[in-house]
Amino acid sequence: VAAPESKPNQIKSLCGLAADATVADFSERYLDADDVLLVAFELRANTTFTKMELTNNQIGAVGAQNIAEALKVNATLTSLDVLANRLTEAGARALVAMAESKPNQ
């Protein structure tokens, strides 16, 4: 059986988003720290996201720290919303430290 023809505009990211998507909306998906590992991996490799919505999940401190680490190598994201995620002080500090280290974004 022959493989179906691949069409460039149908390529999706690991998280199921279009390859050229500029907004990654993962709001209200019940994501926890383990789920956010995949999102963080995607963020490291992605060069088109400018905005990421992670509101109303449960990423916690560990998830926030994973996102912060991924953002150290991401040069395109300019907006990140993590409202209502049980970040704890450690998670919030990790994100703030990352943001302060990239003042031009």
Side-chain angles (χ1 to χ4, degrees):
V1 175
E5 287 186 37
S6 175
K7 296 180 182 176
N9 63 348
Q10 291 182 341
I11 295 173
K12 301 238 184 223
S13 70
L14 288 174
C15 294
L17 301 171
D20 61 349
T22 58
V23 176
D25 189 353
F26 299 107
S27 298
E28 299 179 9
R29 304 260 179 112
Y30 306 101
L31 302 179
D32 61 19
D34 292 335
D35 299 320
V36 172
L37 284 174
L38 183 60
V39 173
F41 183 80
E42 180 77 37
L43 197 51
R44 282 184 184 91
N46 185 282
T47 58
T48 61
F49 294 158
T50 58
K51 182 177 183 178
M52 181 173 281
E53 298 283 342
L54 283 166
T55 58
N56 295 311
N57 285 293
Q58 299 172 9
I59 68 173
V62 173
Q65 290 165 345
N66 286 329
I67 292 293
E69 285 298 314
L71 287 171
K72 288 180 181 178
V73 297
N74 180 289
T76 58
L77 198 76
T78 58
S79 175
L80 174 66
D81 191 344
V82 293
L83 180 70
N85 265 291
R86 302 180 186 175
L87 296 184
T88 73
E89 185 176 338
R93 284 184 187 271
L95 290 170
V96 168
M98 178 282 311
E100 290 176 346
S101 72
K102 297 176 101 172
N104 294 330
Q105 284 188 298

